[in-house]
Amino acid sequence: SKFSKTKMAAVGFLILGIVGLLAILALVRLFLVIRGVGKERKPLSEPKGTIRTLVVVGSGGHTTEILRLMSGLSDTYAPRYYVIAETDQMSEEKVHRFESEKHPGVSNMYVIHKVPRSREVGQSWLSSVFTMLYATLYSFPLVFRISPDLVLCNGPGTCIPLCAAGLLMTFLGMKKVSLVYVESICRVETLSLSAHLLYYLADHLLVQWPRLQEKFPRTKYIGRVI
């Protein structure tokens, strides 16, 4: 059908664009590494033995799930860099409230960064190619600047450019960036598009339903987060 052909063309352009962009970024970053620049910046307090954590926050249920997951992590996961879509005011408020309740009186161990959305709900596949590329261009420098030890995400499309940047840092030998993807509880029978893209790339892909683990053996069943 005409819609299917348009969708396939959009996906093809997206893949070619991302591959080309990654190749350019890899060459540029390699040049910078050789010159000795791009060292870790530490704008927040960072106690010894901690894990610098980048948390990708989605919206709605994604936000609730990721914050519930964060509530079970120890203070070892610090400093925490929350990344949200620039139009998501509600998630920003939830993150501030979560941090003030879990770590009262401590405000120098987390920061919130905003990035462009990779794709809006209902956006056409063709136009999403350009928004994805724009989000990627914005996300890569951010991840390089943060230099996380761990990228934790649970489904929003915003996570793909951020995870790609973490993979590139590992590929270039700058540092090992671990990718942990937690599939949404809404996914009972099939993985989301983000999970499919990261299936062979994430260090750990965690699911909340046992039948998903049975269908996708590289995943790990962890029970329900919520």
Side-chain angles (χ1 to χ4, degrees):
S1 64
K2 183 177 180 181
F3 174 76
S4 298
K5 291 181 179 179
T6 302
K7 184 176 179 180
M8 291 178 63
V11 172
F13 279 121
L14 176 60
I15 294 174
L16 288 175
I18 291 177
V19 170
L21 181 61
L22 289 177
I24 294 173
L25 287 172
L27 291 174
V28 172
R29 200 58 189 171
L30 181 60
F31 173 74
L32 293 177
V33 170
I34 292 174
R35 291 193 59 182
V37 300
K39 297 180 180 179
E40 290 186 10
R41 299 181 184 181
K42 300 184 179 181
L44 302 178
S45 300
E46 188 168 353
K48 292 182 178 179
T50 57
I51 300 172
R52 180 179 287 225
T53 305
L54 189 157
V55 185
V56 186
V57 181
S59 58
H62 286 301
T63 302
T64 301
E65 287 188 21
I66 201 70
L67 292 181
R68 180 64 63 87
L69 185 65
M70 291 296 295
S71 67
L73 299 183
S74 69
D75 293 342
T76 301
Y77 294 86
R80 294 170 294 281
Y81 299 84
Y82 295 93
V83 180
I84 66 176
E86 58 187 0
T87 57
D88 191 358
Q89 183 66 33
M90 187 175 295
S91 291
E92 181 178 6
E93 295 172 357
K94 288 182 179 180
V95 169
H96 284 306
R97 184 165 60 251
F98 166 78
E99 283 287 339
S100 64
E101 293 175 355
K102 183 174 174 60
H103 306 281
V106 180
S107 60
N108 65 338
M109 293 302 294
Y110 82 98
V111 66
I112 295 177
H113 294 281
K114 297 183 179 182
V115 298
R117 284 188 184 274
S118 299
R119 184 174 184 267
E120 297 284 355
V121 176
Q123 182 179 351
S124 70
W125 283 92
L126 188 59
S127 63
S128 65
V129 172
F130 300 100
T131 54
M132 173 68 82
L133 291 176
Y134 176 61
T136 301
L137 286 170
Y138 195 97
S139 299
F140 270 60
L142 175 63
V143 175
F144 289 149
R145 185 168 67 250
I146 293 174
S147 189
D149 300 306
L150 168 68
V151 175
L152 179 63
C153 52
N154 72 328
T158 306
C159 74
I160 299 301
L162 297 165
C163 289
L167 287 168
L168 182 59
M169 292 186 70
T170 300
F171 172 74
L172 294 176
M174 298 173 64
K175 69 181 303 184
K176 167 59 180 174
V177 180
S178 297
L179 304 182
V180 176
Y181 183 94
V182 184
E183 185 61 288
S184 172
I185 194 171
C186 298
R187 290 291 175 169
V188 180
E189 298 288 347
T190 61
L191 296 177
S192 62
L193 176 59
S194 297
H196 276 295
L197 291 173
L198 296 173
Y199 187 72
Y200 292 104
L201 301 175
D203 294 276
H204 302 282
L205 205 160
L206 312 178
V207 296
Q208 301 184 54
W209 293 95
R211 68 188 71 179
L212 268 183
Q213 198 280 324
E214 294 171 1
K215 292 177 66 175
F216 301 94
R218 293 196 77 257
T219 65
K220 180 179 180 181
Y221 171 61
I222 60 170
R224 299 185 183 182
V225 174
I226 297 181

